[in-house]
Amino acid sequence: MDPLRQDEFDSQACGSIAPKAKPCPRPKPGEAAGGCSFDGAQITLLPIMDAAHLVHGPIACAGNSWESRGTLSSGPSLSQYGFATDLTDSDIIFGGEKKLKDSIDYIAGRFAPPAIFVYSTCVTALIGEDMDAVCKEAADRLGIPVIPVNSPGFVGSKNLGNRLAGDALLQYVIGTGEPEPETDLGVNLIGEYNIAGEMWDIEKLMNSAGIAVTSRITGDARYKEITWAHRARVNMVVCSRALLGLAKEMESRYGIPYFEGSFYGAKETTYSLRQMAYLMNDREMERRVDRLTEREEARLSQELRPYRKLLRGKRAVLYTGGVKSWSVISALKELGVQVVGVGTNKSTEDDVRRIADRVGDDTEYIPEGGASRIIKTVRERKADIMIAGGRNMYVAMKEQIPFIDINQERHKAYAGYEGLLRLAKELTYSLANPIWKLAASPAPWDKEAPPYDR
Amino acid sequence: MTVNRRKKPASVNPMKIGQSLGAVLALQGCYRAMPLIHGSQGCSAFPKALLTRHFREPIAVQTSALQEMDVIFDANRNLEEALNLVLSKHRPDIIGIIGTELTDVAGVDYQNMLKTYKRERNMRGGLAFSVVLPDFRGSLESGFSSTVESMIDEMIQQVGHRGQRSVNTRQITLLPGSFLTPADVMELKEIISSFGFEVIVLPDISTSLSGHLLTGFSPLTRGGVPLDSMLQSLQSGLTIAVGGSMERPARRLHNAIGTPYKVFEGAMGLKATDELLHFLHQISGEPVPLRYCWQRENLLDSMLDAHFQFAGMSVVAALEPDHLHSVSGWLEELGVEQRALITSFETPLIAGMEREVWVGDLDDAEVLGKGADLWISNSHGIAGAQRTGAAFMPAGFPVWNELGAYMSVSAGYRGAMEWSNKAGNLLMQREAGSRESSVRHR
Ligand code: SF4
């Protein structure tokens, strides 16, 4: 792969498209958390469920990471297979290109996937494997797309990996196919990964407003639908600033308007649906969306009533990456939950502005520092609950702090109106669980005065 | 007998785990320790996430966070920075620097760097060591045992050669293999101490990853064997290693300071437990405690009850080498057919087995174990078991589809009983399931 020059690298930082934006800080040795770019690229592309995803490198990159996401499939499951070239010493010495070629052939022959994504990793990038050439040659020979994803772990953060995956889609996938003639064209959902099935809730909503999903990029996607993404009428960037560049590029290349939105919280959901109809420039659709959102919001506020009563005034610390930090704040606010601390470690300036719009002055921003810093905020701000990623879940359990998982590994879908109701329920269950009282009270013999003085 | 490999270029559904994860696991069993992975961020983030998912505990680990230019120019600058920060901020007692394939391929010499660093900072009191664990070789098991070996090396360097060693014959050092759960380690500790021995476990995950409720967050490990006990273990009269992979660290102790050692290949099943207890009885002169005599009967009785269930059944097992060896011995006692045994890499123990073993992945388990009734592997095997219609029994690492997997016992009579019942129940449920569906289809 071509090494990135430092200035290029800076301009790509954090997935922002504007070169002047401040770069992601260099991860601090001894205090770094979070995944590598390879991880980020995988997250973006693995939800293409019918494709094969082959990791080119020694075993750990694939062996330690496959099947670690909560992204769900409604059908094919080839993407859940862990494929790795599993390089050995001698492969490194003599080069792994032959093994890569054989692996691609093997996968194509045995599984007949519509496409194969091939990921470089630190070692294969370092020794200068010409992955692009191997992929190109294989694609020509086999007659299926074989797509190199040049995002080895050491080029940067997970965010940069998301972006590099987006680049691979732009370069090799989008625009290479055409939809069936009878396909109803509508919106591309970009950066929605169908964690815990959230995509399905969103799709249902869109369909009931008569809005078609053209391509899912990439939650529960099929390879083919992404090839015709350039025919969509609108792009919606859901919770992923790293893929904003993809939307911008599609606007300039294909003239597709885009907007950023979220489905966390009723207000954001309504806004997003309206925005779709508006950008499609379809009055009838706008009316349909209005009717739907009114109906749904009314029904939701009915159903939320008992939970709102219990949640009003509760205090939460929210620690999650990027866009989710502000969109989840909206959702929590609707439930009456006050966010007293919020992580901004992965947020861009835009995100921080949006956070500021949504929280009060006394909310603490947690720029970095990991678990100990979050816990400190929970204690100092007397928070009732912590909402964060799985990485911090057991830290919270040790401290006996109620916890809700908001990241990739979770099993609950929180998007859309249904999702908000689910979030309300989860918050209530968590806060009301008898365990907090039980764990806080000592064993009976510890309560007694000691039997005799010692 | 024979170790085979299926011919295919790619690994499909790997069961192999990077060696460095084994190192991180080993260090979790030491108190106030910090594993520091010398590599890019992802190489520590993935193991951390995976270990957290399995043990449902916070995991201590840090990284030197190499980026592309660092690798090419000066990787050790990052390491130094990381060391400075970790030492000044958290003051760990033990620090293990784990070299990855990246630093290996780039030819980074951090062993020397560490030496100089230690000399320059006049580092004393703590234990700092390094271990080279590229992912081209071995798997979790070898990463774990190599780390214990390096740790022991460093301990010996620090105090071992100094003066006369006063041997404490009532003290035993236990070196438990990576396949043992925290509950297994606890069980072994109890068994050995029930014969009147002091036991020092190296490393001791039974007190760090077994779910204690110490409050007060620390990025270092909580629980595990403290440094002074570790150093005191050099006075032990005997080393007991459990698992073939732990022989090398045991031998290291023997060669350097003369501690005799005994290796048990496993501790699972009737025969293996008999052997362990008999040995302890002989060296201690104490009678076998009554509760183990009871447990032995309980086990035999439950095996009698279960043998109807196992009759005519076949099993496919895909586990790390030592673990596979243990499980295979236990399966032997149940009288089931071992249709296919698959492991992650070849070890002397595996090569010496009387059965055919395949080095491969979970895809091989699917192909070779076709038609088996029971499937034993880590949670990655769920889909394969489903496709082949076998009952799925989670074991090894990682297991995420079951609560309390880390507290399940396989060691001792109690462990064998627990496993036999669990496996029998799974087969029973599967049978009931197929009966029900055949009724519905009529
Ligand atoms: S940092 Fe590099 S070697 Fe480590 S997991 Fe990521 S891609 Fe693989």
Side-chain angles (χ1 to χ4, degrees), chain A residues 26-27 29-34 60 64 66-67 81-82 84 86 89 99 102 106 110 123 154 371 394 398-399, chain B residues 8-9 11 13-14 16 40-41 45 53 56-57 62-63 67-68 89 101 135-137 212 216 363 380 387:
Chain A
R26 161 176 177 264
E31 204 169 57
N64 293 349
W66 70 293
E67 286 197 309
Y81 271 71
D86 186 7
D89 312 40
K99 199 166 187 193
D102 292 347
Y106 177 76
R110 188 173 148 198
V123 169
F154 60 32
Y394 300 105
K398 290 282 158 236
E399 297 290 304
Chain B
K8 64 182 191 302
S11 172
N13 297 340
K16 213 181 343 175
S40 292
Q41 264 194 59
R53 208 167 162 206
R56 298 176 200 260
E57 292 285 332
Q62 254 312 330
T63 166
Q67 297 209 328
E68 194 169 21
K89 241 185 148 169
E101 75 273 11
D135 295 318
F136 331 123
R137 270 166 256 140
H212 54 73
D363 178 57
H380 283 305
R387 284 190 287 263

Side-chain angles (χ1 to χ4, degrees), chain B residues 106-379:
Chain B
V108 180
D109 181 9
Y110 46 90
Q111 314 249 16
N112 254 324
M113 180 249 147
L114 181 65
K115 258 190 217 132
T116 335
Y117 186 92
K118 275 166 49 176
R119 192 166 357 95
E120 278 171 6
R121 315 272 146 151
N122 202 3
M123 255 174 84
R124 260 188 250 127
L127 200 67
F129 66 95
S130 65
V131 53
V132 188
L133 297 172
D135 295 318
F136 331 123
R137 270 166 256 140
S139 181
L140 189 156
E141 179 181 299
S142 56
F144 185 93
S145 60
S146 305
T147 304
V148 176
E149 202 180 334
S150 300
M151 212 176 327
I152 286 175
D153 250 2
E154 183 65 25
M155 280 159 50
I156 293 168
Q157 297 256 331
Q158 254 193 28
V159 295
H161 296 306
R162 216 188 293 140
Q164 200 62 36
R165 192 171 78 99
S166 62
V167 176
N168 178 356
T169 53
R170 302 307 295 174
Q171 180 181 300
I172 289 178
T173 304
L174 171 65
L175 305 178
S178 57
F179 60 101
L180 297 163
T181 65
D184 281 331
V185 175
M186 216 179 287
E187 183 80 12
L188 290 170
K189 214 158 52 170
E190 263 172 43
I191 291 177
I192 299 172
S193 52
S194 73
F195 286 85
F197 294 109
E198 287 287 323
V199 191
I200 297 179
V201 192
L202 206 71
D204 190 357
I205 57 169
S206 79
T207 50
S208 60
L209 296 176
S210 58
H212 54 73
L213 281 178
L214 288 173
T215 45
F217 175 77
S218 158
L220 302 175
T221 53
R222 318 286 313 269
V225 56
L227 180 58
D228 49 357
S229 305
M230 279 169 77
L231 295 173
Q232 206 192 320
S233 75
L234 298 178
Q235 258 99 55
S236 293
L238 177 74
T239 307
I240 291 182
V242 179
S245 62
M246 300 311 279
E247 176 157 5
R248 281 186 49 183
R251 215 183 315 132
R252 180 62 56 112
L253 275 168
H254 175 73
N255 291 345
I257 54 175
T259 317
Y261 67 90
K262 167 86 182 165
V263 181
F264 292 91
E265 284 164 352
M268 184 177 182
L270 186 76
K271 274 191 219 139
T273 312
D274 278 354
E275 214 183 295
L276 174 66
L277 290 178
H278 192 213
F279 174 78
L280 290 169
H281 162 69
Q282 283 179 329
I283 60 162
S284 67
E286 300 283 329
V288 172
L290 206 56
R291 69 167 177 280
Y292 297 117
C293 303
W294 262 110
Q295 282 183 13
R296 192 174 193 278
E297 276 186 40
N298 297 154
L299 170 61
L300 280 169
D301 186 65
S302 72
M303 283 167 75
L304 283 167
D305 295 344
H307 90 277
F308 298 106
Q309 207 54 53
F310 289 110
M313 291 290 163
S314 61
V315 179
V316 49
L319 297 162
E320 292 276 287
D322 281 354
H323 204 187
L324 186 74
H325 182 273
S326 268
V327 167
S328 169
W330 162 77
L331 288 169
E332 187 89 49
E333 292 176 355
L334 293 181
V336 294
E337 182 203 336
Q338 300 181 36
R339 179 148 307 173
L341 300 177
I342 293 110
T343 195
S344 48
F345 71 110
E346 188 176 333
T347 65
L349 189 68
I350 287 293
M353 266 173 82
E354 277 175 19
R355 290 179 178 279
E356 179 178 58
V357 179
W358 297 78
V359 167
D361 49 37
L362 294 170
D363 178 57
D364 297 330
E366 223 171 295
V367 174
L368 300 162
K370 205 167 174 184
D373 302 285
L374 185 66
W375 172 304
I376 305 174
S377 81
N378 65 22
S379 289

Side-chain angles (χ1 to χ4, degrees), chain A residues 66-374:
Chain A
W66 70 293
E67 286 197 309
S68 63
R69 299 275 149 192
T71 168
L72 298 183
S73 169
S74 59
S77 61
L78 188 60
S79 103
Q80 274 149 6
Y81 271 71
F83 293 112
T85 49
D86 186 7
L87 299 183
T88 59
D89 312 40
S90 61
D91 294 327
I92 302 291
I93 296 162
F94 300 112
E97 289 175 14
K98 164 95 176 38
K99 199 166 187 193
L100 175 60
K101 174 186 163 288
D102 292 347
S103 297
I104 293 170
D105 289 357
Y106 177 76
I107 291 167
R110 188 173 148 198
F111 297 95
I116 301 175
F117 288 89
V118 182
Y119 302 80
S120 66
T121 57
C122 292
V123 169
T124 46
L126 185 70
I127 61 175
E129 299 268 287
D130 194 350
M131 224 174 68
D132 291 16
V134 177
C135 289
K136 178 161 192 320
E137 188 276 329
D140 292 345
R141 189 162 34 80
L142 299 168
I144 56 164
V146 179
I147 299 145
V149 184
N150 286 311
S151 179
F154 60 32
V155 297
S157 66
K158 215 153 136 177
N159 253 320
L160 176 61
N162 296 150
R163 202 203 115 106
L164 292 172
D167 289 352
L169 290 180
L170 268 175
Q171 191 178 346
Y172 292 98
V173 188
I174 294 170
T176 61
E178 289 300 332
E180 332 261 279
E182 68 274 13
T183 312
D184 186 11
L185 293 172
V187 179
N188 290 332
L189 291 174
I190 298 176
E192 160 50 59
Y193 300 132
N194 200 33
I195 303 297
E198 285 186 340
M199 167 77 75
W200 299 328
D201 284 343
I202 296 170
E203 246 188 289
K204 213 162 74 193
L205 261 181
M206 287 172 64
N207 290 341
S208 28
I211 308 173
V213 178
T214 304
S215 311
R216 296 163 290 184
I217 306 176
T218 55
D220 195 16
R222 307 294 175 267
Y223 181 75
K224 232 164 96 190
E225 70 187 273
I226 300 180
T227 62
W228 64 60
H230 61 300
R231 295 294 179 220
R233 292 160 62 193
V234 172
N235 273 333
M236 170 174 175
V237 182
V238 190
C239 277
S240 179
R241 298 195 58 81
L243 288 181
L244 202 56
L246 179 72
K248 289 192 177 166
E249 184 60 31
M250 283 176 81
E251 183 179 48
S252 72
R253 260 195 222 176
Y254 308 110
I256 305 173
Y258 74 90
F259 74 101
E260 283 179 76
S262 149
F263 289 101
Y264 293 125
K267 277 206 200 99
E268 298 286 345
T269 304
T270 299
Y271 166 82
S272 296
L273 291 171
R274 282 224 181 101
Q275 197 68 7
M276 289 177 190
Y278 168 74
L279 288 175
M280 285 217 240
N281 205 1
D282 182 335
R283 293 293 147 257
E284 177 46 31
M285 189 181 281
E286 284 187 69
R287 270 191 291 276
R288 271 203 308 265
V289 165
D290 283 343
R291 278 199 299 275
L292 174 79
T293 53
E294 256 165 54
R295 198 175 63 227
E296 288 290 319
E297 284 198 33
R299 190 169 61 99
L300 179 67
S301 79
Q302 248 331 317
E303 285 178 289
L304 276 180
R305 193 162 294 156
Y307 301 103
R308 274 210 180 109
K309 218 182 273 167
L310 293 164
L311 294 174
R312 179 164 311 126
K314 290 281 186 285
R315 301 157 73 84
V317 166
L318 178 67
Y319 196 83
T320 179
V323 176
K324 241 183 284 157
S325 50
W326 54 263
S327 56
V328 173
I329 291 175
S330 303
L332 290 170
K333 261 177 80 175
E334 288 178 50
L335 299 175
V337 176
Q338 196 192 344
V339 175
V340 293
V342 56
T344 53
N345 61 326
K346 284 192 241 160
S347 306
T348 60
E349 279 164 39
D350 263 0
D351 288 336
V352 175
R353 205 171 331 110
R354 287 189 173 107
I355 291 172
D357 287 347
R358 287 166 173 80
V359 297
D361 291 339
D362 56 344
T363 300
E364 186 165 326
Y365 292 179
I366 312 171
E368 57 178 30
S372 49
R373 190 56 215 282
I374 310 171

